[in-house]
Amino acid sequence: MQVTSPVREPLVTGGKTIHDVTEDVCSRVEQAPTKTWMLAITASIALLLVGAYAVWRTLWDGIGMWGLNKTVGWAWDITNFVWWVGIGHAGTLISAVLLLFRQKWRTSINRAAEAMTIFAVICAAMFPLVHMGRVWIGFIWALPLPNTFGSLWVNFNSPLLWDVFAISTYFSVSLVFWYIGLIPDFGTIRDRAKNPISKAVYGALSMGWSGSAKAWMHYEAVSLILAGLATPLVLSVHTIVSFDFATSVIPGWHTTIFPPYFVAGAIFSGFAMVLTLMLVTRKVYKLEDYITLTHIEYMNYVIITTGSIVGCAYITEFFVAWYSGVEAEQYAFINRMTGPYWWAYWSMMACNVLSPQAFWFKRVRRSLVLTFILSIIVNIGMWFERFVIIVTSLHRDFLPSSWAMFYPTMYDVGFYLFTFGLFFTLFFAFAKFFPVINMAEVKSVLKSSSGEIADKK
């Protein structure tokens, strides 16, 4: 019996050459902004300005403008913080972990994913800084720095301080990794630039990149070292974020399953956001030959896997609560299902557990429209997950006399919209002025993973 090994689908289609890659990517940077881009960034800036009013009122009048009360001291602020940190998780996974495992399909999507990480972490950092009440001295309060307020030092036993170190490290390594990857492409744009201002700007950004064999050797060595440093961050960052809850004694929080559960959820939501952005970028910038159905299908595989892990974690939480024999713990989970916030719990289950199962079908995995819709549904579900964990655990704890409901105000919603405006403004600016695809890495896999040979035949 003769068995013919199936040939993998090409990662770059259309018979692209090295010159085509340079032209297709650089032309988006060199051309004047399109009407679509102008409309998109105008809408994002408008959203940013609308949300800025909520931020200003919060800073001027205090966080009493939010819907917090003496029972629910955390609500939308910490929900959105954890959600944005999770959004930024896929960038490090795609860039670092898949690089170490020599996965070639990452090359067309890693640049945008890395940028998304940077912007999402900036949005996440807004919430704890504003929650402090005085953003201008937030770094003094959050970092172990000498200060003029007497013997005021941070509490190293607090997981909130662990967050500061974990996320600042994550942001720093991700920023350096992203910028190092941009240097060869900046050098290409510099060499093509005709405008003296553009030539000077991209020349400065390229840091004297020469493209020599020695420069490439150092570039690849630094990339591998940074990937090795960043890989533990994929596990550590959201693990430490989960410690905000797991180290407490609040029913529904005090559980050891949170670290792996939060990491899987972060990768789950991060990949969903990468899909949302890349599908739009692919269409607007006509990059269908570089971001192919194969890339989208592989990302959907990751969503199926992490979504299933998250679903198992939901079931395990109920088992642990039942097995513990602690009435308060058992009640916390019954209250999630049947209490006043039942709608949030069942929205979470529908979005995070049921909707990703559609990706088991190849037709759905390779459908652009369905993938786009499901990627948005997943991120809605992940927001509800954080809301359910935080609010339903706080609003009814050990003492019935302290039970209370949380109702968001327009300033809660406005601050959330502000971060959306900030995120999309930064991403649209990145997509216009920076190469949205890593030209150097796509060229390195072009010969072994393009459809050029098949097209010629």
Side-chain angles (χ1 to χ4, degrees), residues 58 77 96 108 259 274 287 302 334 353 367 431:
T58 301
D77 49 334
S108 293
V274 170
L287 298 171
V302 177
I334 294 172
V353 180
S367 168

Side-chain angles (χ1 to χ4, degrees), residues 193-239:
K194 296 180 176 60
N195 186 319
I197 297 176
S198 297
K199 198 170 190 70
V201 171
Y202 288 109
L205 290 172
S206 65
M207 300 181 70
W209 175 261
S210 63
S212 65
K214 189 174 183 180
W216 278 110
M217 181 184 70
H218 291 313
Y219 168 81
E220 292 178 1
V222 169
S223 295
L224 284 174
I225 291 169
L226 287 173
L229 290 173
T231 298
L233 293 177
V234 174
L235 299 175
S236 68
V237 171
H238 229 59
T239 295

Side-chain angles (χ1 to χ4, degrees), residues 250-264:
I250 301 294
W253 287 3
H254 188 67
T255 174
T256 55
I257 198 177
F258 267 17
Y261 164 27
F262 269 52
V263 170

Side-chain angles (χ1 to χ4, degrees), residues 6-126:
V7 178
R8 290 184 179 180
E9 293 186 33
L11 295 176
V12 181
T13 59
K16 298 294 182 181
T17 63
I18 289 176
H19 176 70
D20 292 333
V21 175
T22 303
E23 285 294 327
D24 291 342
V25 177
C26 290
S27 61
R28 314 300 176 208
V29 178
E30 295 163 349
Q31 293 170 357
T34 62
K35 290 183 179 179
T36 305
W37 184 85
M38 292 297 293
L39 286 172
I41 199 163
T42 300
S44 65
I45 291 174
L47 190 63
L48 179 66
L49 294 176
V50 169
Y53 173 74
V55 176
W56 173 74
R57 285 297 305 272
T58 301
L59 291 174
W60 187 259
D61 296 320
I63 60 171
M65 301 300 290
W66 296 348
L68 307 179
N69 52 58
K70 65 179 182 179
T71 299
V72 185
W74 279 355
W76 273 50
D77 49 334
I78 198 71
T79 298
N80 297 332
F81 163 74
V82 178
W83 187 77
W84 275 117
V85 173
I87 292 295
H89 225 62
T92 305
L93 179 73
I94 291 171
S95 300
V97 179
L98 297 184
L99 174 63
L100 293 178
F101 282 95
R102 304 296 185 184
Q103 295 297 306
K104 294 180 180 180
W105 63 271
R106 61 176 281 282
T107 54
S108 293
I109 59 173
N110 66 327
R111 174 69 51 74
E114 291 165 15
M116 188 191 76
T117 292
I118 304 299
F119 306 147
V121 173
I122 291 172
C123 292
M126 294 290 297

Side-chain angles (χ1 to χ4, degrees), residues 243-281:
F243 287 167
D244 293 349
F245 313 103
T247 56
S248 73
V249 295
I250 301 294
W253 287 3
H254 188 67
T255 174
T256 55
I257 198 177
F258 267 17
Y261 164 27
F262 269 52
V263 170
I267 297 170
F268 184 47
S269 61
F271 265 81
M273 183 61 85
V274 170
L275 273 172
T276 303
L277 295 176
M278 293 310 297
L279 286 171
V280 175
T281 305

